[in-house]
Amino acid sequence: MRVMKRHVALKIFLAVLALLCLVAVFFVVRAKIHQREPEVYGSYEMYKTEFSLALFQAQNLHIGENENLRVMQIADPQLKFGFMTHDKKSMDLIERAIDKERPHICVVTGDLTLSLFTYDAYRYFADFMEEKKQYWTITFGNHDLEFDCSAYTIAELLSDYEYCLFDVGPSDVKGKSNFLINVYSGEEQTPSYSLIMMDSGMY
């Protein structure tokens, strides 16, 4: 009887060990895929390039001629997976605020995520904003790049979204989210506003 119990216990132990090994392999593979870094992060060199608004054409935002710019700040939602109670409450609050205030752009000032699944949490939020046709951008916080993603991988992901006005910025300025968003009123040819996004650093 004791031998049988030991045999069953050994099987359970080996099954748990195998499961833990599979989970570990899963996370290692995800990290390898999502932590890609280019040799140079940045689209130009600020201090070696003559300043020109043409550098920032990808981040233009247009508002009505007689409108005042409305910016909504979203700070530290720290999304986990997208389906947890915390996430649903945060997203419900964000959605109600957007529906009430109708901002021209939402600016996430760091820590959009705090998750082992950073890539999926980012995609969840970007899909939500895309569905709402809401322009938004982000400057990275310390938690956004702590786990399974590099800034480069997140930038690649966000480049697929029409309503996300994010740019990798210059390669010779410290940080991973330094860029401008130029706001044009009506048919004006020069910006009425420029939103300056600055990476304040991880810690």
Side-chain angles (χ1 to χ4, degrees), residues 33 35 38 46-48 73 88 100 112 124 137 141 146 150 193:
I33 292 171
Q35 288 183 345
M46 176 69 81
Y47 298 113
K48 293 183 181 178
Q73 179 187 13
K88 288 181 177 178
K100 181 177 180 182
L112 175 60
Y124 166 74
T137 193
E146 278 185 332
S150 67
Y193 310 89

Side-chain angles (χ1 to χ4, degrees), residues 25 60 62 72 74 77 80 94 124 148 154 162 166 172-173 185-186:
V25 168
N60 287 347
H62 293 270
M72 176 179 290
I74 300 172
K80 305 299 186 282
I94 291 168
Y124 166 74
D148 75 334
I154 293 175
E162 177 185 353
F166 178 83
D172 56 345
V173 174
S185 299

Side-chain angles (χ1 to χ4, degrees), residues 1 4 14 19 34-35 98 144 184 186 190 194:
M1 192 70 174
M4 188 179 295
L14 290 174
L19 181 62
H34 292 152
Q35 288 183 345
I98 289 172
D144 290 303
Y184 293 84
T190 55
S194 283

Side-chain angles (χ1 to χ4, degrees), residues 61-69 104 182-193:
L61 179 67
H62 293 270
I63 64 176
E65 187 174 1
N66 297 314
E67 286 188 291
N68 292 319
L69 178 64
H104 291 109
N182 292 309
V183 184
Y184 293 84
S185 299
E187 301 300 318
E188 288 185 2
Q189 300 302 305
T190 55
S192 299
Y193 310 89

